[in-house]
Amino acid sequence: MQLLEGKSVAEEYLRRLRPRLAVPGRPPCLAFLRVGDNPASLLYVNRKKSLAESLGMRALERQLPLDAPEGEIFSQLARWNGDPAVDGILVQAPLPGAELQERAFAAVDPLKDVDGFHPRNQGLLALDRPGGFVPCTALAILHLLRAHGIGLAGQHAVIIGRSTIVGRPLALLLQGRRVNATVTVCHRQSRDLAALCRSADVLIAAAGSAHLVGPDWVRDGAVVVDVGQNVLSLPGGGRRLVGDVDFAAIAPRCRAITPVPGGVGPMTVAMLMGNVLRAWELARGMAVDSIPQSY
Ligand code: NAD
């Protein structure tokens, strides 16, 4: 069994970004909008901010209360959209309400949409056209598999989850002409999920449900990617981060599997840095063609 470890792959990816940052002028600037005081959102934003700063980027943050008028969210995004000193804008999910979240994603300038959630960027991905920003977790999975020598062309990839953030963009990326996998997307209403998963060469779990995937859902020799990040409360009062996959039970049957933590997570944050760098290069007038594609 091959462990699809993400930390060292992410470090290598970041090492290769650094020379692109070492040019005169103002550094890239990434702005975060957070609504409410969700502890997981705070943790994720802090992690992304500190990585950006460690690379010499600037990070701004605005936190609004959960009951802030919608106008404050949209006027803040409009200010950052119009500010030439801001290269990337990230609206940290979740916002209070899925519909508000979708509208906030759509209010970010597509050229600063480093999360790739704006309908224009999702549309470019859906049309299999280059030039847009691709969501970081989808990119993370692709890079991680490539770095570990896992080929995807012609493979049957089964994805559990169809969110805007993970499952849907991942399905589009994997089935595109640069990857050429055959993709099945599952969700809560999918019939006989276990059988669908057993048909996978590559199974990607992005449901947000602790240990949803047990050993009888995975065929021998499959590649398993666990995107889930679920916090379990332990009897003694502690907490533990676990994935959607029962790692201990499944790992012996797999060809390769990602750990949680230390698999997709560190790769996702690294991909965000790549997207910010690309937005900054675009703002500096570099032609899209001369900027390395993120995949
Ligand atoms: P979401 O709640 O928006 O979407 C979950 C999807 O999974 C939905 O489409 C739902 O239909 C499906 N689903 C849920 N339970 C299911 C079940 N029992 N059977 C079949 N389908 C089911 O969540 P999300 O934002 O896509 O995130 C999913 C998970 O990935 C979460 O644990 C999240 O924390 C994690 N995540 C990890 C990273 C990372 O970098 N590792 C990045 C983003 C999200």
Side-chain angles (χ1 to χ4, degrees):
M1 184 276 293
Q2 182 184 4
L3 190 67
L4 301 174
E5 186 275 324
K7 203 158 169 284
S8 63
V9 179
E11 276 164 12
E12 171 59 17
Y13 176 84
L14 294 171
R15 195 186 62 71
R16 285 198 271 124
L17 291 188
R18 283 179 197 272
R20 284 166 61 194
L21 281 157
V23 293
R26 71 162 182 83
C29 174
L30 173 60
F32 295 90
L33 182 66
R34 205 157 49 81
V35 180
D37 53 7
N38 181 323
S41 296
L42 176 63
L43 185 79
Y44 295 144
V45 167
N46 284 343
R47 196 172 289 163
K48 293 168 193 171
K49 270 170 69 181
S50 76
L51 181 58
E53 285 166 353
S54 76
L55 291 170
M57 298 180 181
R58 270 184 73 215
L60 308 175
E61 183 180 353
R62 173 94 192 269
Q63 193 230 337
L64 293 171
L66 202 58
D67 59 355
E70 272 186 35
E72 278 199 54
I73 295 174
F74 291 99
S75 60
Q76 179 60 71
L77 293 175
R79 272 199 298 283
W80 283 336
N81 283 341
D83 184 345
V86 171
D87 303 291
I89 301 171
L90 191 150
V91 177
Q92 182 63 49
L95 255 54
E99 191 262 341
L100 173 63
Q101 182 168 298
E102 291 302 320
R103 280 191 291 125
F105 288 161
V108 172
D109 178 344
L111 296 175
K112 298 187 179 189
D113 172 36
V114 288
D115 255 343
F117 298 154
H118 188 282
R120 182 173 192 278
N121 286 315
Q122 298 252 350
L124 287 171
L125 185 60
L127 294 171
D128 205 8
R129 280 175 36 192
F133 288 103
V134 176
C136 304
T137 308
L139 279 179
I141 293 166
L142 187 61
H143 272 267
L144 186 65
L145 293 175
R146 283 192 173 156
H148 285 280
I150 309 276
L152 288 162
Q155 299 288 296
H156 182 208
V158 174
I159 303 170
I160 313 176
R162 60 175 171 188
S163 70
T164 312
I165 291 174
V166 187
R168 197 177 294 272
L170 178 63
L172 294 169
L173 190 65
L174 296 188
Q175 75 189 12
R177 279 184 295 267
R178 274 174 279 185
V179 182
N180 294 307
T182 303
V183 180
T184 299
V185 180
C186 309
H187 46 80
R188 280 201 179 86
Q189 297 194 28
S190 297
R191 201 157 27 85
D192 203 351
L193 191 56
L196 289 167
C197 292
R198 275 195 300 274
S199 72
D201 300 310
V202 180
L203 176 62
I204 301 156
S209 176
H211 292 171
L212 172 70
V213 179
D216 52 339
W217 287 30
V218 177
R219 70 162 180 77
D220 287 343
V223 173
V224 177
V225 176
D226 191 352
V227 185
Q229 295 193 322
N230 311 292
V231 178
L232 288 189
S233 300
L234 300 174
R239 286 147 76 83
R240 188 158 78 93
L241 183 70
V242 299
D244 288 355
V245 169
D246 185 349
F247 182 94
I250 286 175
R253 305 188 50 186
C254 295
R255 170 181 159 205
I257 185 167
T258 59
V260 174
V264 178
M267 289 298 296
T268 298
V269 196
M271 295 299 122
L272 174 66
M273 299 302 122
N275 277 355
V276 176
L277 185 54
R278 193 158 172 274
W280 175 69
E281 289 170 336
L282 279 169
R284 292 164 71 92
M286 290 176 65
V288 173
D289 289 350
S290 68
I291 299 172
Q293 270 294 333
S294 32
Y295 68 100

